[in-house]
Amino acid sequence: MKKQEPGGIVLILLRPFFLFKQKAPLVSYILGRLFTMAVMLFMLGLAVFGLMELAPGDIVDRIMLQQIFGENQIRPGQNQQIMDLEQLAARRAELGLDQPFYIQYFHWLSRVLRGDLGTSLISRAPVSFLLASRIFNSVLLNLLSLVLITFFSFVLGVYFSTKAGTKTDLAVTFFALVLHAFPGILMLILLQLFASVTGLFPVTAYPPFPFAEAPVRFTFSYLHHVFLPLLAAFLGGIGGTLRMIRATMLDQLGQPYITSLRARGIGEWRIYFNHAFRNTLNPYITGSANLLAGLFSGSLILEIIFAYPGMGRLMYEAVLQEDINLVLSNIMFVSFLVLLGMVLSDIILALVDPRIRYGKG
């Protein structure tokens, strides 16, 4: 009997995979992207644990310093004992901080796979509870920004592509370039100063009362409070998106098929919206994942400056306090949303453009 070569054994083992890829290319592509996303999240979490390990001190040192220099300082006649070295070592062992960072990471990962995100090392509250109280606020703010940027970018981009070369088009292109290059943190600070000086808008981005107390009043108050942060996110994102859509429309309008449609007597607005506009969707769908990632990363500064109770501000506070469980859960969740957005953009791109067929040569 002829001995099977190792390469042949590998091909036999991979044959079901190739057959499945041929029969369902899009499904296999999605599964491959999900697997890649899981690997990237794993590597990201390991890197975060390693970077937190390089930071000087840890949560136990911070607790000891709070006892020494905190508000509850030692007073004459007050019997208050500072944690000694043995207590510090016991506390580190209790929290698992005496182990290498990769061991800590695998312990955290095993808990996450069982549905337990752990507890905050500072507040001792469940991390899942802290995240649940902030997720909706951040997702709502970023989705509102994305919808506004998308709508106005398409409307203005398509309109000004019909005015190419005019003074109005040059002015809009110039201002779009300025907005694209303008530092986002400076715009947030200027809007914060505008709200403080004029008093037309609150300097905070969230109402001072809960939604359950007065739902209707809360909705209008929320829109009033969040107007300036939304304006900052909108101005920061529309510049690049508007320029991209305008450039794509101009490129499509110069294609031979547009000349053919015009020769057949088809109306200009029908050419714009039924033909050229559809082909501008592809680059936008591809870039929307990067736009969403930019919004989430930019919301960190936004939430700090405008005191918005979102995940960005929660992560900022957790980093300052070196609360590793809360930091890692925040980063992993936001990274998951961004990577999921990239996968969804690829899937939508395949559904919108019939020319794209993943897995077929």
Side-chain angles (χ1 to χ4, degrees):
M1 182 177 180
K2 187 177 179 180
K3 187 177 179 180
Q4 187 72 35
E5 295 292 334
I9 297 176
V10 174
L11 291 176
I12 293 175
L13 294 176
L14 293 179
R15 186 178 180 184
F17 170 76
F18 289 116
L19 291 176
F20 176 75
K21 187 175 181 180
Q22 292 177 355
K23 293 183 179 179
L26 182 58
V27 175
S28 63
Y29 172 80
I30 295 172
L31 294 177
R33 287 299 303 269
L34 292 177
F35 174 77
T36 305
M37 183 173 66
V39 173
M40 293 178 66
L41 288 174
F42 173 82
M43 298 301 296
L44 177 64
L46 186 62
V48 170
F49 257 93
L51 291 175
M52 292 292 289
E53 182 73 14
L54 294 176
D58 55 26
I59 190 67
V60 178
D61 294 331
R62 183 172 295 276
I63 293 174
M64 183 183 67
L65 291 175
Q66 286 177 353
Q67 288 191 11
I68 298 175
F69 301 108
E71 296 179 355
N72 298 324
Q73 296 180 354
I74 300 176
R75 299 175 181 175
Q78 185 178 8
N79 185 15
Q80 182 176 6
Q81 296 180 351
I82 304 301
M83 297 173 66
D84 56 20
L85 295 178
E86 293 182 357
Q87 289 176 319
L88 291 175
R91 183 63 172 162
R92 285 192 176 92
E94 178 186 353
L95 298 176
L97 300 177
D98 58 335
Q99 299 176 344
F101 75 92
Y102 51 87
I103 301 296
Q104 298 179 41
Y105 177 60
F106 281 109
H107 286 168
W108 178 86
L109 194 60
S110 64
R111 293 198 307 267
V112 171
L113 294 178
R114 297 194 301 267
D116 179 18
L117 297 179
T119 57
S120 170
L121 302 180
I122 294 293
S123 64
R124 310 304 297 171
V127 172
S128 57
F129 170 78
L130 295 175
L131 292 180
S133 63
R134 303 291 186 96
I135 286 174
F136 179 78
N137 292 337
S138 289
V139 172
L140 177 62
L141 179 64
N142 287 285
L143 284 182
L144 286 175
S145 303
L146 184 63
V147 170
L148 290 174
I149 292 172
T150 301
F151 176 77
F152 284 100
S153 295
F154 273 107
V155 171
L156 297 178
V158 173
Y159 176 75
F160 286 110
S161 66
T162 65
K163 307 293 183 181
T166 62
K167 294 182 179 180
T168 304
D169 175 63
L170 293 176
V172 170
T173 304
F174 172 77
F175 282 111
L177 183 60
V178 170
L179 290 176
H180 183 62
F182 200 85
I185 185 172
L186 180 58
M187 183 177 296
L188 289 170
I189 294 174
L190 291 176
L191 290 176
Q192 179 75 274
L193 291 175
F194 172 78
S196 178
V197 172
T198 63
L200 297 176
F201 296 94
V203 295
T204 59
Y206 202 79
F209 58 94
F211 175 80
E213 180 178 316
V216 177
R217 187 162 66 94
F218 178 89
T219 301
F220 287 100
S221 179
Y222 177 83
L223 294 176
H224 185 215
H225 280 74
V226 85
F227 178 80
L228 289 182
L230 272 180
L231 179 63
F234 172 76
L235 294 177
I238 194 173
T241 310
L242 172 61
R243 292 175 64 245
M244 178 192 68
I245 293 175
R246 175 187 171 277
T248 308
M249 278 291 296
L250 290 176
D251 178 69
Q252 292 298 318
L253 292 174
Q255 296 296 321
Y257 77 93
I258 297 294
T259 305
S260 176
L261 291 173
R262 285 171 173 163
R264 292 164 54 187
I266 297 178
E268 285 295 312
W269 287 107
R270 185 178 174 187
I271 291 175
Y272 288 144
F273 290 100
N274 290 3
H275 300 279
F277 174 75
R278 294 179 59 184
N279 291 327
T280 63
L281 294 176
N282 289 11
Y284 174 76
I285 292 173
T286 304
S288 60
N290 295 328
L291 177 61
L292 184 62
L295 289 174
F296 268 105
S297 61
S299 65
L300 170 64
I301 306 299
L302 185 152
E303 292 174 7
I304 294 172
I305 292 178
F306 281 92
Y308 186 80
M311 294 185 62
R313 188 180 176 194
L314 180 65
M315 183 165 61
Y316 170 74
E317 296 169 352
V319 170
L320 290 182
Q321 298 171 344
E322 299 183 24
D323 194 339
I324 184 63
N325 288 342
L326 193 54
V327 170
L328 193 62
S329 299
N330 255 302
I331 292 177
M332 298 294 276
F333 182 79
V334 174
S335 301
F336 170 77
L337 289 180
V338 172
L339 293 174
L340 182 62
M342 292 181 178
V343 174
L344 291 177
S345 67
D346 290 337
I347 296 173
I348 295 174
L349 185 62
L351 297 176
V352 170
D353 193 343
R355 298 171 298 178
I356 299 176
R357 288 295 177 266
Y358 295 109
K360 290 187 178 182

